[in-house]
């Protein structure tokens, strides 16, 4: 990170800051997003995924990190170097409804990966899909042109969270799905 360019008191003025932010299309908001889930073609579910995507409460963008090792040279110093790239799961939180359709859809996908009746595991290519996460700015009235979009390739649900019920709790139900994937890329 370099030193600020310009070097004057005006660099710290609110108007200068706002001008720079406006030149970048304003600040991004967390609440302007859509998620498009494409399940595998072989998945049989009575729940249409388009009917539950609007129930997504939160989603995380994918992260990427490197596994590292220390490289020693001549016993004098250690240099940390990367040796692999890792992709962390993406968490999607769904709001629950009284027909439990969102949760039923994910039960179907998990059952498709491994049947609880036979315990046979499906072939990898038969249980993967895609997940696209799009972000929009506050001026857009429809979801036609996202400002930023990522696609998770070869995605599948790894975990569905538990839901704790209780007589003393009147909060709305929500649950989390952890999606793993082979790779992700920016589409816009």
């Amino acid at each position: 990170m370099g030193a600020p360019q310009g070097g004057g008191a005006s660099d710290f003025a609110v108007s200068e800051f706002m001008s720079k932010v406006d030149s970048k299309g304003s600040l991004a908001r967390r609440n302007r997003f859509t998620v498009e889930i494409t399940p595998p073609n072989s998945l049989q579910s009575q729940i249409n995924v388009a009917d539950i995507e609007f129930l997504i409460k939160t989603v995380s963008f994918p992260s990427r990190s490197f596994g590292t090792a220390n490289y020693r040279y001549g016993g004098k110093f250690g240099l940390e170097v990367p040796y692999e790239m890792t992709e962390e799961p993406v968490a999607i939180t769904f709001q629950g409804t009284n027909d439990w359709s969102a949760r039923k859809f994910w039960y179907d996908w998990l059952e498709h990966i491994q049947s609880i009746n036979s315990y046979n595991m499906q072939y990898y290519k038969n249980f993967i899909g895609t997940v696209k996460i799009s972000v929009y700015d506050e001026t857009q009235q429809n979801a036609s042109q996202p400002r930023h979009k990522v696609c998770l390739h070869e995605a599948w649900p790894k975990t569905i969270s538990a839901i704790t019920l209780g007589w003393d709790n009147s909060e709305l139900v929500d649950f989390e799905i952890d999606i793993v994937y082979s790779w992700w890329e920016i589409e816009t």
Side-chain angles (χ1 to χ4, degrees):
M1 179 153 276
Q5 300 294 319
S10 67
D11 288 340
F12 296 109
V14 173
S15 61
E16 182 71 21
F17 173 79
M18 293 306 296
S19 174
K20 288 180 181 179
V21 167
D22 287 343
S23 72
K24 305 232 176 261
S26 191
L27 296 173
R29 299 201 181 267
R30 293 177 185 254
N31 65 340
R32 306 280 297 184
F33 69 92
T34 59
V35 179
E36 179 186 342
I37 301 164
T38 306
N41 291 332
S42 57
L43 174 65
Q44 295 178 5
S45 178
Q46 294 181 359
I47 310 299
N48 182 354
V49 71
D51 294 339
I52 63 168
E53 290 172 336
F54 79 97
L55 293 170
I56 295 173
K57 181 178 174 181
T58 64
V59 65
S60 60
F61 267 122
S63 67
R64 188 173 280 163
S65 63
F66 289 106
T68 61
N70 281 330
Y71 171 72
R72 297 210 174 269
Y73 179 73
K76 296 181 182 179
F77 67 91
L79 178 65
E80 192 171 11
V81 294
Y83 65 88
E84 71 176 349
M85 184 177 60
T86 59
E87 311 277 3
E88 297 297 322
V90 165
I92 302 176
T93 303
F94 278 84
Q95 298 178 77
T97 57
N98 282 325
D99 69 356
W100 296 87
S101 56
R103 195 152 175 101
K104 287 176 185 176
F105 170 79
W106 292 106
Y107 284 153
D108 289 344
W109 197 336
L110 290 167
E111 171 71 15
H112 180 65
I113 294 171
Q114 183 181 31
S115 171
I116 59 171
N117 295 324
S118 68
Y119 296 103
N120 290 334
M121 191 69 68
Q122 189 69 252
Y123 288 109
Y124 179 78
K125 290 289 184 187
N126 293 338
F127 66 75
I128 56 174
T130 58
V131 175
K132 295 181 181 182
I133 305 166
S134 302
V135 179
Y136 306 88
D137 67 31
E138 64 274 3
T139 64
Q140 293 174 288
Q141 297 302 314
N142 59 28
S144 61
Q145 293 294 324
R147 299 289 283 192
H148 186 66
K149 183 177 188 178
V150 297
C151 181
L152 312 178
H153 297 278
E154 297 184 4
W156 54 277
K158 180 181 179 184
T159 308
I160 186 169
S161 70
I163 298 174
T164 303
L165 305 174
W167 293 111
D168 61 342
N169 192 344
S170 62
E171 293 178 8
L172 297 175
V173 167
D174 64 10
F175 64 94
E176 190 170 285
I177 300 291
D178 287 333
I179 303 291
V180 293
Y181 48 93
S182 292
W183 79 96
W184 63 270
E185 65 183 349
I186 297 172
E187 290 195 349
T188 57

